[in-house]
Every structure is written in C-alpha cells, then in structure tokens.
C-alpha cells in the first residue's frame, strides 16, 4: 500500500508541476508531498489571483501572505488520488 501511495503522489506531483509550467506559474521543485506555486503577479489589496482561482474551484492550499519572503506563494498538498489532482489542475486552468 505504501509503495502505491508514494508512486501516486509522485505521479500527481509530476502532473501538477507540468500543468504549472504549461500555465506559466512559478513552481518550486519538490520531492515532497506538496508543491509551492505562484502566479508571478503581485498581491494587491489582499487579492491574490492564484489563491482566489483555487478557492473558486473548491481547492484549498496554504497561503503564506504573512511572510514577506513567501508572499503570493500557495502550498498545495499532493494526494495519490488522480481525481483530486484533476480538480486542482482544473482550478489552476480557470482564468
């Protein structure tokens, strides 16, 4: 079970990073079960386009708006479930 879960997380992470690259999002390479993404735009008046796009798609991640070094970055957990990854990618693609 553990091997299958790890393999699923790796596949999901790869798909998510490929989608981020295709969508011109900034991404931090990772070997973990999460990725950090940023849309490259400035956060203005508390509005973060990436964060709001994800929320509108029913996807929650961890926003780092209180840390100036990570302002605008969103941490997204990766699961072995491809349907969850599909939902995250669909939310990222919604513009």
């Amino acid at each position: 079970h553990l091997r299958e879960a790890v393999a699923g997380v790796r596949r999901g992470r790869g798909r998510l990073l490929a989608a981020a690259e295709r969508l011109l999002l900034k991404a931090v390479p990772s070997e973990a079960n999460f990725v950090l993404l940023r849309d490259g735009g400035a956060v203005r008046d508390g509005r973060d386009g990436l964060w709001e796009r994800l929320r509108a798609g029913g996807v929650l991640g961890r926003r780092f708006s209180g840390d100036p070094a990570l302002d605008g970055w969103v941490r997204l957990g990766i699961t072995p479930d491809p349907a969850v990854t599909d939902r995250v990618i669909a939310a990222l693609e919604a513009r």
Side-chain angles (χ1 to χ4, degrees):
H1 173 73
L2 180 60
R3 285 187 181 118
E4 286 180 31
V6 170
V9 166
R10 286 180 176 152
R11 283 190 300 272
R13 184 180 56 229
R15 289 182 56 218
L16 187 55
L17 289 173
E21 183 177 344
R22 185 177 71 251
L23 296 167
L24 304 177
L25 299 172
K26 294 180 181 181
V28 177
S30 171
E31 292 295 321
N33 65 341
F34 66 89
V35 295
L36 286 173
L37 297 178
R38 185 171 187 195
D39 68 3
V43 177
R44 293 190 181 95
D45 301 326
R47 294 182 52 86
D48 177 345
L50 176 62
W51 174 254
E52 293 190 13
R53 198 162 61 237
L54 289 166
R55 283 187 55 209
V59 175
L60 297 178
R62 182 173 178 199
R63 184 166 64 167
F64 292 95
S65 58
D67 183 339
L70 293 172
D71 198 23
W73 290 92
V74 176
R75 176 185 163 165
L76 294 173
I78 308 296
T79 75
D81 185 347
V84 173
T85 304
D86 290 343
R87 241 182 52 220
V88 172
I89 292 171
L92 291 173
E93 290 173 337
R95 293 205 179 243

